Amino acid sequence: MATLRTLDALEREGLITPDPRLAAAAESMAIGLTDEMLALIDRRDVANDPIARQFVPSAAETVIAPDELADPIGDEARSPVKGIVHRYPDRVLLKPLHACPVYCRFCFRREKVGPGGEALSEAELDAALGYIRARPEIWEVILTGGDPLMMAPRRLAALIAALDAIPHVAIIRLHSRVPIVEPSRVTADVIAALKPKRATLWLGVHCNHARELGSPTRAALAALADNGIPLLGQTVLLAGINDAVETLDELMRALVSVRVKPYYLHHPDLVRGTGHFRVSIARGQELMKALRGRLSGLAQPTYVLDVPGGHGKVPVGPAYLGDDPDALTVEDAFGGQHSYPG
Ligand SMILES: *Cc1c(COP(=O)(O)O)cnc(C)c1O
Ligand code: SF4
């Protein structure tokens, strides 16, 4: 069966009941629910299912709060040529396309992602590569989108080869949801494309709940790791999906067990129509503190906020040092307070 892409298809699967607000939600962002994710939804309680909640549109998306933004992380402000976002001196994002395997209802590029349209033309991709080629300070190129693993394997291989041919690009990083949500796309051709001859490639995978790691997903991650591709995990902190200590504990352990190093836990961005997914920073810090006391250092992500306006990502705690520089105190992972000579 193919990816579900319409309200009708979701209704036939019993995942939604008719509601006029859903049409508005579906209009504001494309629908995409893959076979693999569909198979993991618990049909007895769809409304609270952590997988269904990520991909099935809800009426809550039509509620737009005044502080929510069309471009929540300021990509537009930092885009010198189409497809490039250049915010830090040593690295750029390169977005070859806007298609994704699924459409996450909380997506931080919600207003941009979608099937068809807006992929870079060959000429635009050449111009983006020209921008990178002309700037020796660019040490790392991060392919994102959309999802770079939605490119045809031949086109992906050509793009990675083109980056590999730029001597100052040491690192090619991809951020993708494909290995998690549509592992059947991780074919031998794709894996071959992910092996540049000179540069080093890292792959970040976006995974928000341990239940996303079904057996086809585990097999795809194992194939990537067996081929020497280092894997990072990115998780978005989401109300009603993973904002509980036990859930994050289980997810981070599961990621480490499949050779994915938790990299970032993203504070949810101020995306329009996503208030129902939002968690406070205070709650995020509390969860991170609890993880510090429970989990191996291997399983600890950094909790980050993308500062609205295009100012980049920063860690947002929690802090373990008191703020009096003359009487320094440090809190241990179990909440004990200790003084430390300043
Ligand atoms: C997130 C992001 C990066 C990568 O940041 P890291 O902290 O290196 O993972 C680079 N450029 C832009 C514009 C970003 O949004
Ligand atoms: S896969 Fe990533 S870019 Fe695509 S819809 Fe989900 S969060 Fe957005």
Side-chain angles (χ1 to χ4, degrees):
M1 219 175 69
T3 296
L4 304 183
R5 301 198 177 277
T6 62
L7 289 172
D8 282 348
L10 296 178
E11 201 180 321
R12 276 195 299 276
E13 283 292 333
L15 297 172
I16 52 172
T17 48
D19 179 334
R21 289 169 301 174
L22 290 179
E27 200 152 293
S28 68
M29 187 194 197
I31 293 170
L33 175 62
T34 55
D35 279 355
E36 289 93 335
M37 290 297 105
L38 177 65
L40 297 174
I41 292 174
D42 180 351
R43 304 307 185 93
R44 291 164 304 181
D45 190 9
V46 171
N48 293 306
D49 182 85
I51 294 179
R53 279 178 64 89
Q54 293 185 61
F55 310 117
V56 175
S58 89
E61 291 172 38
T62 59
V63 180
I64 316 273
D67 55 0
E68 293 174 345
L69 307 165
D71 180 18
I73 65 172
D75 276 356
E76 297 296 309
R78 302 290 167 136
S79 183
V81 290
K82 194 167 173 193
I84 294 269
V85 185
H86 198 176
R87 179 182 288 155
Y88 303 100
D90 75 325
R91 56 205 191 277
V92 292
L93 302 187
L94 172 55
K95 302 190 281 189
L97 80 178
H98 289 284
C100 291
V102 284
Y103 290 102
C104 313
R105 308 317 298 175
F106 50 83
C107 177
F108 62 123
R109 296 211 176 93
R110 189 184 165 99
E111 322 262 334
K112 286 280 165 2
V113 296
E118 283 296 300
L120 294 189
S121 66
E122 286 306 319
E124 287 164 340
L125 191 55
D126 280 347
L129 290 168
Y131 179 90
I132 296 167
R133 213 173 278 124
R135 286 170 180 73
E137 67 274 22
I138 299 175
W139 175 78
E140 179 179 19
V141 175
I142 302 165
L143 298 180
T144 174
D147 194 314
L149 292 188
M150 292 299 280
M151 293 174 83
R154 271 222 321 255
R155 211 172 155 239
L156 177 68
L159 174 56
I160 289 177
L163 292 169
D164 201 26
I166 304 175
H168 56 265
V169 175
I171 308 294
I172 302 169
R173 189 193 332 167
L174 284 83
H175 280 288
S176 174
R177 197 122 158 78
V178 162
I180 305 294
V181 299
E182 199 173 17
S184 58
R185 283 185 184 270
V186 183
T187 58
D189 284 351
V190 167
I191 292 177
L194 297 180
K195 292 180 164 180
K197 293 190 172 59
R198 178 198 54 85
T200 301
L201 184 139
W202 286 70
L203 176 60
V205 298
H206 172 178
C207 182
N208 299 326
H209 197 283
R211 287 235 330 260
E212 290 166 43
L213 299 167
S215 45
T217 292
R218 287 169 185 267
L221 294 170
L224 290 161
D226 287 348
N227 274 278
I229 299 168
L231 301 173
L232 299 171
Q234 279 183 282
T235 298
V236 183
L237 180 60
L238 295 164
I241 292 171
N242 59 20
D243 62 336
V245 181
E246 298 72 23
T247 311
L248 287 174
D249 177 314
E250 194 188 347
L251 170 61
M252 299 306 159
R253 285 182 203 276
L255 288 173
V256 172
S257 303
V258 293
R259 289 179 278 176
V260 175
K261 166 72 185 90
Y263 175 56
Y264 279 157
L265 176 66
H266 294 273
H267 187 73
D269 294 310
L270 293 170
V271 186
R272 286 202 279 202
T274 62
H276 54 301
F277 289 121
R278 208 150 310 128
V279 180
S280 69
I281 290 187
R283 176 66 181 146
Q285 292 176 332
E286 191 185 344
L287 290 165
M288 285 298 296
K289 263 198 183 169
L291 291 184
R292 180 55 63 182
R294 295 169 68 119
L295 283 179
S296 158
L298 269 181
Q300 302 283 345
T302 302
Y303 180 37
V304 291
L305 172 71
D306 220 309
V307 185
H311 304 291
K313 293 180 200 57
V314 285
V316 283
Y320 292 91
L321 285 178
D323 44 21
D324 181 352
D326 298 323
L328 216 49
T329 58
V330 58
E331 183 178 328
D332 67 38
F334 308 98
Q337 299 289 332
H338 311 274
S339 61
Y340 188 83

